[in-house]
């Protein structure tokens, strides 16, 4: 049968109590019909129970006979108080199939909500978010979102009441860019005079900081110089070289110094 909770104050909430318990009863066959279970009431009594962990006895009444046994006889419960607080709302992106776009963090209505629940749960809440699905979206749009309370690790906290439960997000699409350092590769054309060879080539700086969409940046292993004609080089020297940036990639530097060590 269902386990009831008696004398629960309006400001109180009870955790960990089982939904159902087993009650064995005895009575006259005439009274023990198919509706007998409706005459059984099982409950725990919260009168004068303080906050915290408690082991409470399970009681049962049977108006058509006698209660023989109750399983379990005791239950461990956590008694807490109901509290509420006001928290800001921020948008968060979910189900995004394009790593190069996101939405900005503005335009949420309402921007504050009331969160109500057990104090132990409210203490775990790090933020309230409006999850925005942007799969397939390429233009600004508006979305109505069911709000969620999250802990510090981003896990959803259930059993709390958020009022209002929904928010409208004016989703402004933002193109994401990341900056990373990548090595520079020297490219050359032409040939040195007979008897000469390049024993070493290096650039200063050795790397360049580039800015690009995430999908481009993660595939970009190096940045090449535009071809340097070495035909006229007869001794070790340094020359200026322009970097050849791919489409959608920009660099902190456009030129580098390339050093050639030439030997006979």
């Amino acid at each position: 049968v269902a386990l009831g909770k008696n004398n629960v104050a309006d400001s109180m909430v009870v955790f960990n109590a089982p939904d159902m318990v087993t009650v064995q009863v005895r009575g006259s066959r005439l009274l023990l019909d198919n509706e007998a279970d409706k005459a059984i009431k099982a409950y725990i009594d919260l009168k004068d129970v303080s906050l915290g962990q408690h082991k409470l006895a399970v009681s049962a009444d049977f108006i058509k006979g006698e209660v023989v046994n109750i399983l379990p006889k005791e239950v461990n419960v956590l008694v807490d108080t109901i509290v509420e607080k006001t928290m800001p709302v921020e948008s968060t992106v979910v189900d995004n199939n394009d790593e190069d776009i996101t939405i900005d963090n503005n335009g949420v209505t309402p921007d504050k909500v009331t969160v109500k629940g057990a104090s132990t749960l409210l203490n775990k809440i790090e933020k309230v978010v409006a999850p925005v699905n942007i799969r397939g979206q390429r233009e600004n749009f508006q979305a109505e979102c069911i709000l969620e309370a999250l802990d510090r690790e981003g896990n959803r906290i259930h059993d709390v009441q958020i009022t209002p439960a929904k928010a409208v997000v004016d989703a402004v699409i933002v193109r994401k860019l990341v900056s990373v350092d990548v090595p520079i590769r020297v490219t050359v054309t032409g040939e040195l005079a007979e008897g000469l060879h390049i024993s070493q080539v290096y650039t200063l700086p050795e790397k360049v900081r580039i800015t690009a969409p995430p999908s481009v940046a993660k595939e970009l292993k190096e940045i090449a110089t535009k071809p340097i004609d070495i035909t006229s080089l007869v001794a070790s020297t340094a020359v200026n070289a322009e970097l050849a940036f791919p489409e959608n990639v920009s660099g902190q530097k456009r030129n580098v110094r390339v050093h050639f060590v030439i030997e006979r």
Side-chain angles (χ1 to χ4, degrees):
V1 296
L3 179 64
K5 304 178 185 70
N6 291 355
N7 298 310
V8 179
D10 292 340
S11 61
M12 182 185 294
V13 63
V14 181
F15 292 103
N16 303 333
D19 295 328
M20 307 290 289
V21 294
T22 299
V23 180
Q24 297 174 334
V25 297
R26 180 187 298 120
S28 167
R29 286 189 177 183
L30 294 176
L31 296 176
L32 294 178
D33 53 22
N34 292 334
E35 300 294 320
D37 59 334
K38 294 183 178 179
I40 303 172
K41 303 295 181 184
Y43 57 90
I44 53 176
D45 193 349
L46 280 298
K47 185 178 180 180
D48 299 326
V49 173
S50 60
L51 302 181
Q53 296 277 357
H54 295 276
K55 180 178 287 187
L56 300 179
V58 179
S59 301
D61 298 327
F62 181 44
I63 61 176
K64 293 186 176 184
E66 175 189 1
V67 175
V68 177
N69 194 19
I70 305 171
L71 295 173
K73 292 181 172 59
E74 294 179 321
V75 293
N76 291 307
V77 299
L78 170 64
V79 180
D80 203 352
T81 54
I82 297 292
V83 296
E84 65 178 46
K85 64 179 178 179
T86 300
M87 297 191 68
V89 181
E90 62 182 71
S91 60
T92 186
V93 171
V94 296
D95 197 11
N96 180 14
N97 62 339
D98 186 344
E99 62 183 309
D100 293 340
I101 67 169
T102 187
I103 62 172
D104 68 15
N105 221 6
N106 301 316
V108 182
T109 306
D111 59 356
K112 291 183 177 64
V113 292
T114 300
V115 186
K116 183 178 181 180
S119 63
T120 50
L121 292 179
L122 261 65
N123 289 338
K124 295 179 181 179
I125 298 177
E126 179 73 12
K127 58 185 176 181
V128 176
V129 300
V132 183
N133 186 326
I134 66 172
R135 175 173 286 273
Q137 299 286 356
R138 296 298 179 270
E139 304 294 336
N140 299 343
F141 65 101
Q142 192 174 78
E144 184 179 60
C145 308
I146 298 175
L147 300 178
E148 298 178 356
L150 305 181
D151 64 15
R152 188 179 298 274
E153 286 73 39
N155 301 311
R156 185 176 180 183
I157 297 177
H158 300 275
D159 300 321
V160 295
Q161 178 183 345
I162 303 174
T163 306
K166 296 180 180 180
V168 175
V169 178
D170 291 315
V172 177
I173 297 295
V174 176
R175 303 289 170 178
K176 291 195 290 186
L177 294 172
V178 296
S179 294
V180 293
D181 292 330
V182 295
I184 298 168
R185 176 173 59 84
V186 177
T187 58
V188 299
T189 61
E191 295 182 358
L192 294 175
E194 188 176 352
L196 300 178
H197 71 277
I198 298 174
S199 62
Q200 185 181 2
V201 59
Y202 61 93
T203 65
L204 291 177
E206 295 180 346
K207 296 183 177 181
V208 62
R209 177 162 289 261
I210 60 96
T211 300
S215 63
V216 175
K218 73 178 183 181
E219 299 294 335
L220 195 62
K221 305 304 180 185
E222 60 186 13
I223 293 291
T225 65
K226 291 186 177 180
I228 303 169
D229 188 353
I230 62 173
T231 304
S232 61
L233 300 184
V234 294
S236 298
T237 188
V239 299
N240 290 325
E242 187 177 354
L243 296 173
F245 292 104
E247 186 179 0
N248 296 327
V249 177
S250 62
Q252 199 174 54
K253 289 180 174 293
R254 300 297 304 180
N255 297 278
V256 293
R257 194 76 170 162
V258 180
H259 293 257
F260 292 97
V261 178
I262 296 175
E263 297 179 353
R264 291 188 176 276

